[in-house]
Every structure is written in structure tokens, then in C-alpha cells.
Amino acid sequence: MNGEKVSQDKVDQILTAAHLAPTSSGLQPFKIIVVTNPELKEKIKAVAYGQSQITDCSHLLIFAAWDNYTEERIKAVFNHTNNERGLPESATADYVNKLIGIYTSRTEEENFNHAAKQSYIGFGVALTEAAFLKVDATPMEGFDPAELDELLGLRERGLRSTTLLPLGYRDAGGDWLVNLKKVRTPLQDFVIEFK
């Protein structure tokens, strides 16, 4: 990335798109952390195997999923939803109790894995919105999640990092891939149809 700043309105559009992404039961079990502080990006680069996108980007988005589904978290989401819709708590009580029964019977790790998958839905929507806005974005799993969680104090917030999304503009002169043909598995080998 060339270090050019992404305008705040474009960053806001990307964040809004991820915020509006669908999630299981509408629980939105993840947060997005936005990092622009150069010193903090340098520390994150150290736990991301020295990858320069971390420090070269304009804005670093960190997707962090809930570490567990709890009765309190589930109720808080539905209380907010009901308040916004002007509905009584009783409108969703049966559904909420069903969800609490499902999630609280699972292990914390099972619940985190589910929440992490939900964070990837928002992550994919953010990538798509960035492309639509002509903002370059690099999906990254190449980092040590436990070290990043410790660095940012995420576990104290009930979160665990899942993926990174540096936003910026490509350095066309330094990007050896920019003029190469995009190659993927042929579509007929990628898609399986049952008719």
C-alpha cells in the first residue's frame, strides 16, 4: 500500500456495510476495531509476522468475535432490538429462551467458533464494499491471535481476534501482481450442481 489516506467517509461506508451484514439470529457477535495510530500499528505488525500492509495501510480493521454466547449478551441484543422496534420483551421471549438454551449448552470454544464465522460474514461484506468504493483491502489471517488479543486487551472485553483488514491504496509500482492475470480454479471445477 502506498500510504495514501482513505477518506473517513469511505471508511465509514465500509464500517456501515459490515455493521449491516446479516448474522445468525441477528446477534452480531463481533466488533470491529479501527486502528490508525502508527505506534500501535507497528506493535501489531510485530505479531503479524512483519507484514508491511499493517503499517502501510491507512486504516487497519480488526474483526474480533465474542469469546462466548451468554444469556446476558443474547438478552441485551434482543432488548435493544425490541426497544428500537417499540415491542415488549414478551414479543421475542420464546425465541430468546430457545437461543439461550442452544448456546449455553455448547462449550465456550464451540460458541467462539460460531461467532468467528459470523464475523467473517461482516468481513466479506466489508471487503466487497471496499472494492465497490475502489479502496484496496487485504484480507489477513497471518497473525498470532493470542498475542494480538493480549496487546489490545480483547479478552478483558470478551472478544477474540479473527481477522485483519488493512485499507488503503495499492502501490502500483511496487505491486508485482498488479498486471498479472487473475487466476482461479475453472468455474466448472469450482461449482458443483445437483439438477
Side-chain angles (χ1 to χ4, degrees):
M1 296 188 167
N2 66 14
E4 182 184 345
K5 293 285 182 204
V6 177
S7 67
Q8 191 60 49
D9 67 308
K10 287 187 177 184
V11 173
D12 291 344
Q13 284 181 261
I14 293 165
L15 292 170
T16 298
H19 179 247
L20 294 173
T23 58
S24 182
S25 298
L27 290 171
Q28 288 185 292
F30 66 94
K31 304 284 185 198
I32 302 172
I33 297 135
V34 181
V35 179
T36 56
N37 179 287
E39 292 82 20
L40 183 54
K41 287 197 291 186
E42 200 62 54
K43 290 176 183 176
I44 294 169
K45 180 180 178 180
V47 300
Y49 312 115
Q51 295 179 83
S52 63
Q53 299 96 318
I54 302 295
T55 49
D56 294 345
C57 73
S58 169
H59 294 73
L60 176 63
L61 307 187
I62 301 168
F63 286 73
W66 289 357
D67 58 359
N68 197 6
Y69 289 95
T70 64
E71 181 175 342
E72 295 75 25
R73 281 178 160 169
I74 294 168
K75 283 184 175 180
V77 169
F78 278 91
N79 286 341
H80 173 70
T81 300
N82 289 338
N83 286 336
E84 288 292 311
R85 292 177 175 166
L87 297 173
E89 189 177 315
S90 61
T92 56
D94 289 344
Y95 188 66
V96 168
N97 288 331
K98 180 180 176 183
L99 289 178
I100 290 168
I102 292 168
Y103 287 115
T104 59
S105 68
R106 296 180 185 168
T107 67
E108 183 176 322
E109 194 63 22
E110 286 173 316
N111 281 335
F112 167 70
N113 288 331
H114 183 270
K117 289 176 186 176
Q118 302 307 300
S119 78
Y120 270 84
I121 297 170
F123 177 73
V125 171
L127 272 171
T128 303
E129 185 69 13
F132 176 76
L133 296 172
K134 301 194 180 338
V135 172
D136 292 304
T138 306
M140 298 177 74
E141 286 188 321
F143 66 99
D144 185 315
E147 286 188 36
L148 183 59
D149 294 352
E150 185 176 333
L151 176 66
L152 300 177
L154 295 182
R155 292 307 292 257
E156 291 81 10
R157 295 174 181 260
L159 299 168
R160 291 169 61 184
S161 56
T162 58
T163 191
L164 308 177
L165 187 60
L167 301 175
Y169 297 101
R170 76 182 64 206
D171 176 9
D175 185 354
W176 64 277
L177 293 168
V178 72
N179 293 316
L180 295 178
K181 178 181 179 181
K182 186 170 199 139
V183 179
R184 295 292 186 260
T185 302
L187 193 59
Q188 67 271 15
D189 295 333
F190 180 71
V191 176
I192 299 171
E193 291 189 58
F194 291 93
K195 295 183 178 182

